[in-house]
Amino acid sequence: MHRPAVFAALLGLTRAASAIGDFWVQNDFCARVKGASDDAPVTYEDPATKVKTTHGTADGRKACLHHCLTYTATQAVVAGLGARALGIRVHPGAATAALALSFGTHYIADRRVPGHGVLEKLADKTGKTNFYKLADFGMNGAFHLDNSWHHGWETVAALIATTKATTR
């Protein structure tokens, strides 16, 4: 087995699955409510019924949890099927650890409670506050910092997933 090739394949598979999970699988409710808190509630309007509901901390946590579960399940399916198609046998423990890391770090980033979210605090501490808040000129700084956070952790997860991997 050539470990760098396995790593590259698993990273490519999880990166593709991440985009699918974040942008195609995630539903509108989760996308809008996952950062809600009691101090910064979110009003959600159902696109079909036009009924408006207000959501706080408990609903924000549930929405983020639901999103992270579907996101991680998407990664598991895509990476699992892709690895099988490529003849890569991923060790179950390594796969579980990689997916757990992806799930946990995704939840941390996506619970973007205004003024309290980890990414916002990290942006403040690293001098990226203005970029985080940028939402003009066709840019969204928070989105880009979120995406780069996920890319970094997916790279670590792919490294973990290659542990004890074999080829068929």
Side-chain angles (χ1 to χ4, degrees):
M1 175 194 71
H2 194 59
R3 191 168 183 215
V6 170
F7 164 74
L10 292 175
L11 179 59
L13 290 164
T14 57
R15 180 80 290 268
S18 173
I20 294 165
D22 250 352
F23 304 119
W24 289 99
V25 175
Q26 179 176 206
N27 65 39
D28 185 59
F29 179 84
C30 289
R32 294 179 186 277
V33 176
K34 65 188 177 186
S37 70
D38 292 342
D39 293 334
V42 171
T43 300
Y44 177 76
E45 181 178 339
D46 185 292
T49 65
K50 303 298 182 205
V51 173
K52 291 183 180 180
T53 52
T54 302
H55 304 274
T57 301
D59 289 337
R61 288 178 179 155
K62 284 182 211 171
C64 194
L65 177 64
H66 182 268
H67 164 56
C68 290
L69 287 170
T70 60
Y71 170 91
T72 306
T74 302
Q75 283 188 316
V77 169
V78 170
L81 292 174
R84 184 168 181 80
L86 294 171
I88 300 168
R89 184 171 295 156
V90 179
H91 187 276
T96 301
L99 290 168
L101 178 69
S102 183
F103 174 88
T105 58
H106 202 86
Y107 186 92
I108 287 167
D110 279 24
R111 266 299 280 154
R112 278 194 235 164
V113 176
H116 301 287
V118 170
L119 287 184
E120 184 176 357
K121 288 181 179 181
L122 189 58
D124 291 344
K125 288 182 181 178
T126 58
K128 298 287 184 195
T129 301
N130 288 339
F131 184 69
Y132 181 86
K133 293 179 179 179
L134 178 64
D136 204 352
F137 309 105
M139 292 282 293
N140 182 308
F143 169 79
H144 285 293
L145 291 174
D146 173 275
N147 225 12
S148 66
W149 167 275
H150 297 321
H151 283 251
W153 286 111
E154 288 159 7
T155 302
V156 175
L159 284 169
I160 291 169
T162 63
T163 305
K164 297 183 182 179
T166 60
T167 52
R168 297 170 193 229

